[in-house]
Every structure is written in structure tokens, then in C-alpha cells.
Amino acid sequence: MLEARIAAWQGHERDYHTDFRWVSLEQISEQFPFHTGFDFNSIREAVRASERGKRLRGASTISQQVAKNLFLWPGHSFIRKGLEAYFTVLIETLWPKERILEVYLNIAQFGDGIYGVQAAAQRFWHKPALRLSSAEAASLAAVLPNPLRLHAERPSRYVIERRDWILAQMRDLGGAAYLRALESESRLTR
């Protein structure tokens, strides 16, 4: 958020403002699935693609995104990735899964100056994050690879296809029931 604000100031964009509203996990629709830790298969595929000279693509899990967005700078370097791995291990060790998801959903960028699901839900659909439908939640998730180029409120064919894939994954995983089961399991292990 600070980086975007500084970039706007340096670019003399006087009308730029950050839209950010923190909400607790209980105030966010149960339609958001999540992933934990590291996705080693995706990381391996990204490294192999890079070795073949292809553009480096993302392979970060939610925990890695939280580590990067909270503690690190943007960019692609092995030093930053190493620090990201360190912070990810700390986050995974010290925070319950619900906290990781809550922080992620409150700091993720969903558009130019739009941070967190509450701000996105209000801006795009004029309602609180708690009232998002499955399709709206999936639309927000679909833009996360590039929220400055992809738009949840006016989705391209690519965003629609990603949204539909995410909805299918939610159905296959059991959607909200899956999240409730993880939450119950987490409470038992605390």
C-alpha cells in the first residue's frame, strides 16, 4: 500500500487514494478457499521454466504472499525469495491457518488502490465482504495473479474462465464445509 502511494506521489497522481478496510475473518464470506504452506510442485515447475529461459511465473501460496506483502519488497530475486521462505516458515509456525487467511484477505490487492476483500466488495458490489456470493468471491480470487490488469467488476474472458475454474474447485473441495472442517480441526490442535 505504501509502495503504491509513493509511486502515485512520484507520478504526480494527486487524486490517488488507498481504499483499505480491515475486517475479521468472521466478517468475510465463507466462500474463500485457501491453501497452506508451500506448493512445492508449482515452485519446481516455475524454476524449471525459468531454467529453460521462460519468464519467471508465480508459484506462491497464500502464506508466501502474506510474507511478501507484509515484510518484503516487490521484485524477483533469489535473496527476496529466500527471505520470503524464512518469513513463510515463521508465519506457518506461529499463526493458525485462520489468521493467515484473515491477514491475506485483508492485505491482498484487488485493483488500483484497492486492498482487502472488504474494500473490494464495497467498491465493486456495494456490499460487505460477508455478503459476497460464491461467484463474487471467486471473481476476486481470479484477479489475484495481476489485480492491476485483471478486473473482478468487469471480467475479461480469462477472468471468467478462472472464476469458473475456482468455483469448480470450491465445489470439489466442499466450499464452506471444507473451511469449517479446517477451522474445527485447527481449534482441536490449539
Side-chain angles (χ1 to χ4, degrees):
M1 288 179 244
L2 182 59
E3 176 198 353
R5 171 49 99 192
I6 290 169
W9 177 74
Q10 289 174 333
H12 305 290
E13 294 178 41
R14 301 291 179 229
D15 60 341
Y16 176 88
H17 85 277
T18 300
D19 191 352
F20 171 74
R21 302 165 205 172
W22 185 277
V23 291
S24 69
L25 190 57
E26 291 77 26
Q27 295 173 302
I28 299 172
S29 172
E30 291 183 336
Q31 305 303 324
F32 284 95
F34 69 98
H35 191 287
T36 60
F38 297 94
D39 183 346
F40 291 106
N41 289 332
S42 292
I43 292 169
R44 189 178 308 112
E45 289 174 24
V47 169
R48 286 183 182 151
S50 176
E51 288 171 348
R52 291 190 304 268
K54 294 186 178 180
R55 186 179 146 279
L56 191 61
R57 65 175 184 80
S60 297
T61 64
I62 287 176
S63 298
Q64 289 172 281
Q65 290 291 316
V66 169
K68 179 185 70 117
N69 291 341
L70 274 181
F71 303 116
L72 302 169
W73 61 93
H76 301 283
S77 74
F78 288 110
I79 292 172
R80 192 192 62 72
K81 273 299 196 185
L83 288 170
E84 179 183 304
Y86 170 76
F87 284 117
T88 299
V89 170
L90 284 179
I91 288 169
E92 282 284 321
T93 302
L94 300 174
W95 290 358
K97 302 302 182 206
E98 293 83 7
R99 179 66 177 161
I100 296 169
L101 180 62
E102 179 181 50
V103 171
Y104 177 73
L105 291 173
N106 276 287
I107 65 172
Q109 184 176 18
F110 291 99
D112 190 25
I114 305 167
Y115 295 90
V117 294
Q118 183 73 354
Q122 292 289 344
R123 176 82 62 92
F124 302 145
W125 296 290
H126 310 289
K127 60 177 151 180
L130 183 61
R131 302 279 180 246
L132 289 175
S133 68
S134 297
E136 291 161 343
S139 293
L140 289 176
V143 303
L144 288 176
N146 191 341
L148 298 178
R149 188 174 59 84
L150 304 173
H151 305 280
E153 79 283 14
R154 45 185 167 75
S156 64
R157 175 173 291 190
Y158 173 77
V159 171
I160 291 169
E161 288 172 2
R162 276 185 56 84
R163 179 202 63 203
D164 292 347
W165 180 85
I166 291 166
L167 287 169
Q169 294 297 307
M170 289 169 66
R171 277 189 302 277
D172 291 347
L173 292 173
Y178 172 72
L179 289 177
R180 281 192 296 277
L182 285 175
E183 186 175 308
S184 295
E185 180 182 309
S186 176
R187 280 194 203 114
L188 293 174
T189 60
R190 282 189 211 155

